[in-house]
Every structure is written in structure tokens, then in C-alpha cells.
Amino acid sequence: MQKQLETNQNALKKLHSIVQSLEQAIKFEQQKQQKQALQQDRTKKRLRTISTNRSQGPELGM
């Protein structure tokens, strides 16, 4: 009985460790996706600005 209890406790510790690793991986992936979304948003704004500037006609000195 004691041996089974120790085995179960060890299994729980391993599962807990796996869960923590998965949580860290999820947080990392979420942060990565947030950074990507921010970068895409900046790129869209930059492209919109470039497009707007071009549609306003030729720049001075050209």
C-alpha cells in the first residue's frame, strides 16, 4: 500500500511538472503571437501611410 502511494505521488509530481512546462510553452506562444500581431499592425499602418502619400500626388522637388 505504501509503495503504491509513493508511486502515485511520483506520478503526480511528474504530471505537475509536465503541466508547468506546457503552461510555459503556451505563454511563450501567446507572447510570440502578440508580437507578431503588433508587427503586422505596424506594417499595415506603414503601408497605409505610404499608399496615402502616393495618392496625394507627386512630392515637392520631383
Side-chain angles (χ1 to χ4, degrees):
M1 188 70 171
Q2 183 66 27
K3 183 71 174 165
Q4 185 63 43
L5 183 60
E6 288 173 14
T7 302
N8 288 349
Q9 286 175 334
N10 286 336
L12 275 173
K13 286 178 186 175
K14 287 179 184 177
L15 285 171
H16 182 68
S17 175
I18 291 169
V19 167
Q20 284 182 323
S21 295
L22 288 171
E23 286 173 341
Q24 285 178 341
I26 289 168
K27 282 181 187 176
F28 176 78
E29 194 61 34
Q30 286 172 335
Q31 289 172 346
K32 193 170 123 183
Q33 288 177 0
Q34 286 174 341
K35 286 178 185 177
Q36 245 180 347
L38 268 173
Q39 190 63 38
Q40 287 174 345
D41 190 47
R42 287 187 191 122
T43 301
K44 284 179 187 175
K45 286 179 182 173
R46 203 174 303 126
L47 291 173
R48 214 175 298 133
T49 301
I50 292 168
S51 176
T52 301
N53 290 344
R54 285 185 181 164
S55 69
Q56 290 175 354
E59 296 182 38
L60 293 174
M62 290 186 95

